Amino acid sequence: MFNTPIQQLRTNYCQNNYYMKREDLIPLYLGGNKVRKAVLFFADLAEQGCDWVVTYGSESSNHCRVVANMAVAKGIGCTIITPDDSKTPRANRRLVELFGAEIIPCEVSAVAGTIQDALNTLSRSGKRPYFIPGGGHGELGTQAYITAYQEICAYESAEAIHFDYMFFASGTGATQAGLVCAQQLVGDVREVVGISIARKNPHGGDIVTAAIEEYLQKRGLSFDANELNFVDDYTLGGYGHYNEEILGTIKEVLFQEGIPLDRIYTGKAFWGMKEYVKRKRISGKTILFIHTGGTPIFFDNLYKQWEGAGQ
Ligand SMILES: *Cc1c(COP(=O)(O)O)cnc(C)c1O
């Protein structure tokens, strides 16, 4: 659908060849994997004749920013339910406000109820609300990354190369679920490695497995959960936690390649990939890193973030 560019990187860390698929360059709504997913959710919303969108996410959420942007572009209402933990203003949160979304703060423990209340209130006032799960999770989110996988395969045949590994930041797991489903559908031999940015196993991996099974079972296929590679060794303290090495990695990629990574998703995953490659002694391989976007986060604390590790 978007056929985002794939480019070779200059680094040859541990004697491997590295490529990057630039999902951050999707030419709409500031790019990123959330755009690829949201486009499908909004098509479904239109098909169902809905006129209001409700979703959930943190103040750093690319998903909420993209949904609020698409809603204002399409002239429909938008409600964002979010944990109210704002200490520093975040670019994504500011953009959500700028797009005029209704923001409902709530405790993490009260999310499900708050979503239901918001949907009920909208329905009572004559609206037709459409709910998108946090992060764009669900079958449409999975579908989005099946398409991305097909783009990668088309690139491989055009360039006569084969990616032995695919690495990317894994959050809710829709991106990983889509890539793994596509791999299962065509039977490609390679490692699809999700670097968890927050969740721990078994919980984190189970959610990805469930999404994969949901998709494949409908098509009469099964999935062996042992084949999933959801790596939780680089989550540090959890969502938003980072260290000096991640900041160093972001600087290195920015200086050498001119590509912005962020400390919550892509910078953490790129650092995690390097650690994984080193620890597993992976060498002489061709590796694809999928840049899942998040450009506004790169600019959050652009000056401050180099000062030290933190959250
Ligand atoms: C949401 C997000 C992810 C995680 O994607 P999932 O499909 O939720 O696993 C990775 N990178 C960026 C930049 C994101 O915004």
Side-chain angles (χ1 to χ4, degrees):
M1 182 173 30
F2 291 114
N3 207 15
T4 53
I6 294 178
Q7 66 191 92
Q8 187 163 14
L9 302 182
R10 289 169 62 193
T11 180
N12 65 345
Y13 186 71
C14 295
Q15 276 73 55
N16 298 294
N17 288 317
Y18 293 86
Y19 289 75
M20 193 185 279
K21 182 166 173 68
R22 301 289 305 275
E23 292 287 276
D24 58 318
L25 297 183
I26 287 177
L28 294 168
Y29 311 112
L30 293 170
N33 67 346
K34 299 311 181 303
V35 179
R36 200 184 272 277
K37 300 188 221 181
V39 164
L40 300 186
F41 282 102
F42 272 77
D44 188 41
L45 173 155
E47 210 164 283
Q48 295 191 27
C50 297
D51 56 9
W52 202 283
V53 62
V54 177
T55 195
Y56 166 78
S58 77
E59 56 173 353
S60 298
S61 167
N62 294 310
H63 168 71
C64 292
R65 186 246 311 152
V66 169
V67 168
N69 199 164
M70 287 184 74
V72 75
K74 295 182 187 306
I76 66 167
C78 177
T79 298
I80 300 289
I81 290 151
T82 186
D84 195 16
D85 53 4
S86 218
K87 288 174 216 85
T88 341
R90 304 287 185 205
N92 277 332
R93 170 58 178 263
R94 288 192 164 193
L95 285 163
V96 166
E97 289 169 8
L98 184 67
F99 297 137
E102 176 196 25
I103 296 171
I104 303 182
C106 87
E107 299 285 326
V108 178
S109 57
V111 171
T114 309
I115 290 169
Q116 203 47 59
D117 288 349
L119 292 170
N120 292 343
T121 307
L122 286 162
S123 298
R124 271 198 304 272
S125 68
K127 303 289 181 202
R128 299 198 59 186
Y130 182 92
F131 177 64
I132 304 181
H137 199 66
E139 201 172 336
L140 292 173
T142 302
Q143 185 62 51
Y145 272 83
I146 289 180
T147 308
Y149 189 95
Q150 288 162 348
E151 293 176 8
I152 295 166
C153 293
Y155 178 88
E156 288 181 306
S157 21
E159 299 293 322
I161 59 167
H162 174 76
F163 296 121
D164 302 299
Y165 290 84
M166 288 181 190
F167 287 91
F168 49 88
S170 207
T172 70
T175 300
Q176 183 161 12
L179 296 170
V180 171
C181 284
Q183 181 193 22
Q184 294 286 320
L185 291 171
V186 291
D188 281 339
V189 179
R190 67 170 114 239
E191 292 281 334
V192 176
V193 191
I195 304 291
S196 175
I197 50 96
R199 289 175 182 161
K200 285 291 188 188
N201 282 320
H203 173 68
D206 286 349
I207 291 172
V208 186
T209 300
I212 294 168
E213 284 175 344
E214 183 194 348
Y215 191 92
L216 291 180
Q217 276 167 9
K218 278 193 189 159
R219 285 145 188 93
L221 299 165
S222 60
F223 178 67
D224 175 2
N226 295 317
E227 283 187 47
L228 184 76
N229 203 347
F230 180 86
V231 177
D232 72 352
D233 299 322
Y234 310 108
T235 57
L236 304 172
Y239 185 79
H241 290 252
Y242 60 98
N243 62 16
E244 292 283 354
E245 288 172 61
I246 291 176
L247 300 183
T249 301
I250 295 173
K251 244 184 185 171
E252 193 179 276
V253 175
L254 182 66
F255 286 14
Q256 288 186 6
E257 321 276 356
I259 299 171
L261 301 177
D262 75 82
R263 64 193 194 285
I264 299 179
Y265 300 100
T266 51
K268 200 172 190 176
F270 202 93
W271 165 73
M273 171 181 76
K274 287 176 69 179
E275 292 295 305
Y276 186 93
V277 160
K278 186 170 65 184
R279 189 168 51 119
K280 299 262 181 183
R281 300 177 192 279
I282 295 166
S283 189
K285 300 293 183 190
T286 303
I287 296 175
L288 180 71
F289 181 83
I290 302 174
H291 188 319
T292 42
T295 307
I297 304 177
F298 169 79
F299 294 101
D300 274 340
N301 301 332
L302 179 59
Y303 304 104
K304 253 177 69 188
Q305 74 177 343
W306 311 115
E307 285 169 11
Q311 192 185 341

